[in-house]
Amino acid sequence: MVTKDSAAHSLIAGTIAGAVEGAITYPTELVKTKIQLQGSQQYLAQGGHTYHGPIDCATSTFRTQGITGLYRGLTPMLLGNAAKAGVRFLTYDTVKAQLRDENGKLTMARMMLAGLCAGVIEGGTVVAPSETIKTRLIHDQCMPKPQYHGMVDCVQKAIQKDGIRGIYRGVVPVMARQGANSCVRFASYDTLKQLVIGYTGTETLPFAYSFGLGMAAGTITVYATMPFDVVKTRMQSLSASLERYGRVRLHGYLA
């Protein structure tokens, strides 16, 4: 049973952790998004800037736009990351508590199910709109004539053009990505943690161990979910409504 205190603790701790994580790692997120966008034919047709890899992307952005260029789209990402982490940890802890057996233990399958539920809920509630706005701001930065003057302007123009669905582009693939992300991340972290606890014989792990476990779980998660992330970015781009993959036009909620 998850108590009110433990639920509140999970929500607050997750929110703070998400905000800190987003602020520290954002330049790498921006570079990743730019590299993913430039594979689109419409992106190239619209005159989008192309890069020769992540280092070229980072140095070129810094050289032409300064340090602030590496943080374009940070605000929606920061707000979304904080809310996402809060929802994720609260949902994960709540579902995990319901899935424990009479001895308080969880099987790998139930652990993954808890992560899946957490990811799907966070994806459908807070991640889709924040990711859409972030992607549009970054995409706009790469265009010859940028059209947005910040997050609020981007939101207003997206809603004016497409309605509320304008900031919920790709909500289905986002939910799929977040579900897989949380499923793999929590399952891999908890599994690795139990292995380390079994090896060391102590429940309280030093910071270095926890840090290493987090890095390992994060690496596994990235490789497992990156295809979803690439598709999500293309579907949320400014040129998504013009892009075709086979017979499917990338627009609307399923785009």
Side-chain angles (χ1 to χ4, degrees):
M1 178 70 67
V2 177
T3 65
K4 290 183 178 180
D5 287 342
S6 63
H9 180 271
S10 294
L11 182 61
I12 295 171
T15 300
I16 295 174
V20 173
E21 175 192 359
I24 293 175
T25 64
Y26 189 76
T28 60
E29 175 70 20
L30 178 135
V31 169
K32 179 209 70 174
T33 302
K34 285 190 172 186
I35 296 297
Q36 290 175 340
L37 286 170
Q38 70 180 19
S40 164
Q41 293 180 350
Q42 287 298 326
Y43 175 88
L44 299 176
Q46 292 174 334
H49 190 82
T50 57
Y51 305 96
H52 303 292
I55 295 178
D56 176 53
C57 180
T59 55
S60 177
T61 300
F62 179 76
R63 185 174 60 253
T64 58
Q65 301 171 34
I67 189 66
T68 57
L70 292 173
Y71 286 89
R72 174 73 165 172
L74 173 64
T75 303
M77 181 65 175
L78 203 58
L79 294 174
N81 233 39
K84 173 184 72 176
V87 173
R88 173 189 296 173
F89 283 102
L90 177 60
T91 305
Y92 181 66
D93 285 351
T94 301
V95 175
K96 192 166 67 169
Q98 298 300 317
L99 294 177
R100 293 186 184 279
D101 61 21
E102 59 274 11
N103 297 317
K105 295 183 179 180
L106 278 176
T107 63
M108 169 64 75
R110 292 188 176 190
M111 211 179 291
M112 295 180 72
L113 177 60
L116 178 64
C117 291
V120 169
I121 291 174
E122 75 183 48
T125 54
V126 298
V127 177
S130 65
E131 286 276 343
T132 298
I133 300 306
K134 177 214 73 175
T135 301
R136 287 190 170 212
L137 287 170
I138 294 175
H139 190 163
D140 186 58
Q141 182 190 53
C142 301
M143 293 293 102
K145 296 181 179 180
Q147 60 178 303
Y148 298 133
H149 303 292
M151 181 186 73
V152 175
D153 183 51
C154 180
V155 172
Q156 289 176 338
K157 288 180 178 177
I159 293 177
Q160 286 172 359
K161 181 181 179 182
D162 301 315
I164 193 65
R165 65 188 299 172
I167 60 172
Y168 271 90
R169 283 189 179 278
V171 65
V172 173
V174 167
M175 290 171 67
R177 185 200 69 168
Q178 292 304 121
N181 186 306
S182 294
C183 178
V184 174
R185 185 186 301 274
F186 282 119
S188 58
Y189 180 83
D190 282 356
T191 299
L192 292 172
K193 182 179 179 180
Q194 292 306 315
L195 289 174
V196 173
I197 289 175
Y199 179 77
T200 60
T202 176
E203 291 283 340
T204 305
L205 298 178
F207 172 78
Y209 280 59
S210 297
F211 186 80
L213 289 173
M215 288 186 62
T219 301
I220 294 170
T221 303
V222 167
Y223 277 98
T225 63
M226 184 54 68
F228 293 108
D229 193 63
V230 174
V231 172
K232 182 273 310 174
T233 297
R234 298 279 187 86
M235 291 177 172
Q236 292 178 329
S237 70
L238 292 174
S239 56
S241 60
L242 303 174
E243 195 77 55
R244 283 182 178 274
Y245 290 93
R247 297 184 178 182
V248 180
R249 183 181 291 276
L250 300 182
H251 69 283
Y253 290 104
L254 296 178

